Amino acid sequence: MLGFLFFIVALLYASVGFGGGSSYLALLLLWQVSYASIPIIALLCNIIVVSGNSVNYLRNGYLRPKLFLPLVISSVPFSYIGGALEIEKDLFVKVLFFALTLSGIRLLVNYRCYEEDLGNYKKMPLWLSLMMGSILGLFAGITGIGGGIFLAPILYYFMVGSPKEISATSSMFILINSISGLLGQISKGGFSEIVINHWYLPLLALAGGQIGNLLVIKFVPARIVAIMTSLLILFVATNLAFKIWW
């Protein structure tokens, strides 16, 4: 069942340009997987899922270096630091719950953004890009997510590009920060043992991500996938809330 849910999460998230890290984390917590293993598994699955998205966006020319580079340059060192930090499990679970809730609500409220191309875009100030990259990078490394699900709404709010350009930026942001955060997590040890014990989860995430990226996005409108993804996130967040408070 856990593997099947990883497959579904990867499929849905890949269809809207994300990796699914926050939902992987919640599912692993609900299945009572070893706490030390959770961020590593989530980051590894994140990397696998968004790699396909990132390659496709690069091939089609949707990645804008002036928008992407300041975010990544500032985020990478902080995501590594965040990955190397130790955080208590109770605090981690609560932070994850609020992150899931906010991201689920954001997707549900702003689902139309994924198909609206306004054609009138603004330039984001350099200082703001650097600040956002640093904060989201640190958060991504600590929690084991890529940070793109929080970056995207900010980019939509400032109207810095088309939906595909924002998805491309978010996907690449997730990919690079997940790699950096994973390196930080690995520095704490136990990577090979974790991968051996949970080898099937990255494989199912790969399968779901490829289907979401290559098939679903061609047949299902992005706004519908965004709604489905948001409902899944909120369902997982609700189950996590029961684990925390009941």
Side-chain angles (χ1 to χ4, degrees), residues 169-224:
T169 300
S170 298
S171 290
M172 194 62 79
F173 185 86
I174 293 168
L175 176 61
I176 293 178
N177 278 285
S178 293
I179 293 172
S180 181
L182 181 61
L183 292 174
Q185 294 286 344
I186 291 173
S187 70
K188 295 185 284 191
F191 176 73
S192 59
E193 181 181 347
I194 291 167
V195 173
I196 290 170
N197 291 337
H198 303 282
W199 59 270
Y200 62 97
L201 295 176
L203 288 179
L204 288 167
L206 172 63
Q210 290 302 308
I211 293 173
N213 187 36
L214 299 176
L215 297 178
V216 175
I217 200 168
K218 294 181 180 180
F219 300 105
V220 182
R223 66 180 185 277
I224 301 300

Side-chain angles (χ1 to χ4, degrees), residues 3-22:
F4 173 73
L5 289 173
F6 262 58
F7 174 83
I8 295 299
V9 166
L11 188 152
L12 290 173
Y13 274 79
S15 299
V16 288
F18 299 134
S22 55

